[in-house]
Amino acid sequence: MDWSVYAAMPRLTITPGYSELWHEDATKLLVIEPEDSITVKKNGKSYAVPGGFMAIGSAIAIANHSPKPVTVKLTALAPKDKKQLRTMRPLICDKTESEFRTFAEALHAWSERCPDAGSESVGDMLTALLQKFNLPKPSPAHGRIDPRLIWIHRTIRMKYREPLTLEGLADSLQCNPVYLSNTYSKVFHCSPMKHLQRVRVDKARQLLADTDLSINDITLSVGYISRSQLATYFKKHYGVTPSEYRMNKSLREADTC
């Protein structure tokens, strides 16, 4: 299918409390790329779109339920034959995945360079993505993981130094904390907070082994507020305190000299 750019807004600000249906005629396909979490709605159902993700769909509403403005990149595409688009639900894509990142980069280049002209390569990529992914969402047991859970998993690994909480992570997806914990645990076999502790103590173990940083400095660098807090979680995972771990490592190295 050949497409053209109907409209392109590289920096659209969505104010708190905003909710509006875009292109109700279903002849336009919206590509929405928020910097922070927003919600898209279709047929009475809401779908969270985390920052850094992309939503693709027709006849969808955009809503901002957060207390602060959210900036989005919005591109409206129209098929050259003006056919009605029948997307079953918005496609929520993680732009760190190669095929979605490649599509987003090609779309940006095309819309900035010559939006009135059709692009066979972008059109082919878009058609392939819709055919491949725009199906009813399967449960994790059937193979495809909800991309929001992948985003939470990646956020914990990237931002473990920050004071993350279950409530804060749930707010970023605009969902209930208990729901997030239960669905995350079913996929990753541990809760988000337990995964956070695993990441932190593993980073602490690496710093104890590979650097001369003091334990107080390591404590702060991995996101704990006190040395005793680090010691509690570290001993739970490794059976020794950070001081004992470093001492044992030094003794082992001395024995090999």
Side-chain angles (χ1 to χ4, degrees):
M1 182 184 293
D2 197 8
W3 300 80
S4 63
V5 176
Y6 178 80
M9 288 168 272
R11 290 190 65 82
L12 176 66
T13 299
I14 308 297
T15 57
Y18 174 94
S19 180
E20 185 175 336
L21 180 65
W22 285 69
H23 298 303
E24 188 174 5
D25 61 5
T27 62
K28 308 296 186 296
L29 191 72
L30 292 180
V31 181
I32 305 161
E33 303 170 71
E35 293 183 0
D36 292 298
S37 182
I38 62 166
T39 299
V40 295
K41 301 178 180 180
K42 184 178 178 69
N43 298 332
K45 295 185 178 180
S46 296
Y47 305 85
V49 186
F53 275 56
M54 174 170 59
I56 304 174
S58 63
I60 57 178
I62 304 173
N64 178 12
H65 298 307
S66 72
K68 61 181 181 179
V70 175
T71 300
V72 304
K73 180 188 289 288
L74 180 65
T75 309
L77 304 174
K80 289 286 190 177
D81 56 12
K82 302 187 185 304
K83 283 185 177 179
Q84 291 279 312
L85 301 169
R86 297 184 176 275
T87 53
M88 297 176 64
R89 60 175 176 82
L91 174 60
I92 312 299
C93 322
D94 182 353
K95 289 193 295 183
T96 63
E97 295 182 15
S98 60
E99 54 196 322
F100 297 126
R101 182 177 65 252
T102 300
F103 168 70
E105 292 171 350
L107 176 63
H108 299 163
W110 171 40
S111 63
E112 293 168 4
R113 185 175 63 250
C114 49
D116 294 333
S119 171
E120 183 177 350
S121 60
V122 174
D124 288 346
M125 281 190 281
L126 177 58
T127 301
L129 290 175
L130 293 176
Q131 291 175 344
K132 182 176 181 180
F133 294 103
N134 199 27
L135 301 170
K137 187 182 295 183
S139 67
H142 289 84
R144 193 145 198 267
I145 300 173
D146 186 333
R148 296 172 299 174
L149 298 180
I150 298 174
W151 182 81
I152 290 293
H153 194 72
R154 184 178 293 118
T155 295
I156 290 171
R157 298 196 67 85
M158 293 176 61
K159 299 185 176 182
Y160 63 90
R161 299 178 182 88
E162 300 180 13
L164 300 177
T165 65
L166 180 61
E167 291 74 17
L169 292 171
D171 284 347
S172 69
L173 298 185
Q174 299 169 8
C175 71
N176 182 279
V178 175
Y179 172 80
L180 172 60
S181 184
N182 289 342
T183 53
Y184 185 98
S185 297
K186 288 178 182 178
V187 173
F188 295 106
H189 308 294
C190 71
S191 70
M193 291 298 95
K194 185 172 289 187
H195 177 57
L196 174 61
Q197 303 311 330
R198 287 178 178 174
V199 172
R200 284 176 170 171
V201 297
D202 183 60
K203 296 295 182 181
R205 180 189 59 77
Q206 294 175 30
L207 292 172
L208 287 166
D210 300 334
T211 74
D212 294 325
L213 287 174
S214 70
I215 293 177
N216 286 337
D217 288 341
I218 291 173
T219 295
L220 298 177
S221 70
V222 299
Y224 289 117
I225 60 175
S226 69
R227 181 167 173 161
S228 62
Q229 188 182 38
L230 170 61
T232 298
Y233 285 111
F234 195 93
K235 188 168 185 177
K236 183 177 180 180
H237 282 80
Y238 297 112
V240 293
T241 67
S243 298
E244 292 168 339
Y245 179 86
R246 177 168 272 176
M247 184 180 298
N248 291 341
K249 182 178 182 296
S250 298
L251 290 174
R252 287 195 300 270
E253 290 176 347
D255 287 341
T256 60
C257 293

